[in-house]
């Protein structure tokens, strides 16, 4: 029996589950400015994936890399969800400039 596919599938499921709150909390505390860290970490994980000897490890690193890349887009979308009122605003951040831009865009 070959369990590699099941292991990769389970790990993919868990990685995606970890990235969902990571994006929400990251946008809440740091704003979308952290996108550059997601890009850097994505590139690092791609490189690690290319040099991993195990198929399982390489796959998990590759999935993690592309979750970082996908999360860049999600950070921008999370900001819009916050401005729509679907998620709480960080009281320590000034949203006035973003709210004006959002209102112009959605008129």
């Amino acid at each position: 029996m070959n369990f590699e596919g099941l292991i990769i599938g389970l790990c993919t499921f868990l990685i995606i589950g970890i990235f969902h709150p990571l994006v929400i909390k990251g946008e809440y505390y740091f704003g979308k400015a952290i996108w550059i860290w997601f890009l850097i970490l994505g590139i690092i994980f791609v490189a690690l994936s290319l040099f991993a000897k195990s198929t399982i490890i390489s796959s998990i690193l590759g999935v993690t890399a592309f979750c970082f890349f996908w999360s860049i887009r999600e950070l921008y979308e999370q900001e819009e969800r916050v401005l729509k009122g679907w998620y709480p605003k960080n009281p320590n951040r000034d949203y006035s400039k973003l709210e004006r831009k959002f209102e112009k865009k959605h008129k």
Side-chain angles (χ1 to χ4, degrees):
M1 294 179 86
N2 187 349
F3 289 100
E4 287 182 352
L6 290 175
I7 293 168
I8 293 167
L10 176 63
C11 290
T12 300
F13 178 74
L14 294 173
I15 291 166
I16 291 169
I18 290 168
F19 271 84
H20 178 70
L22 185 66
V23 167
I24 293 169
K25 294 295 184 184
E27 193 283 327
Y28 182 84
Y29 290 109
F30 304 107
K32 64 184 177 196
I34 62 169
W35 74 268
I36 191 70
W37 290 105
F38 282 80
L39 178 64
I40 291 167
L41 289 168
I43 292 169
I44 290 169
F45 274 78
V46 164
L48 292 171
S49 173
L50 291 172
F51 293 103
K53 300 213 184 283
S54 164
T55 302
I56 294 175
I57 300 299
S58 177
S59 298
I60 293 169
L61 291 170
V63 166
T64 305
F66 282 89
C67 281
F68 275 115
F69 295 145
W70 182 262
S71 293
I72 294 170
R73 179 172 183 247
E74 285 297 316
L75 282 170
Y76 285 83
E77 290 183 3
Q78 179 64 19
E79 181 181 77
E80 287 209 11
R81 291 188 285 262
V82 168
L83 294 173
K84 288 178 181 177
W86 297 354
Y87 286 87
K89 293 179 183 177
N90 183 338
N92 299 325
R93 287 183 37 213
D94 181 19
Y95 287 90
S96 58
K97 191 175 185 181
L98 290 172
E99 287 169 339
R100 285 193 299 274
K101 187 189 285 187
F102 180 77
E103 287 173 9
K104 283 182 184 178
K105 183 179 175 183
H106 290 90
K107 277 189 177 182

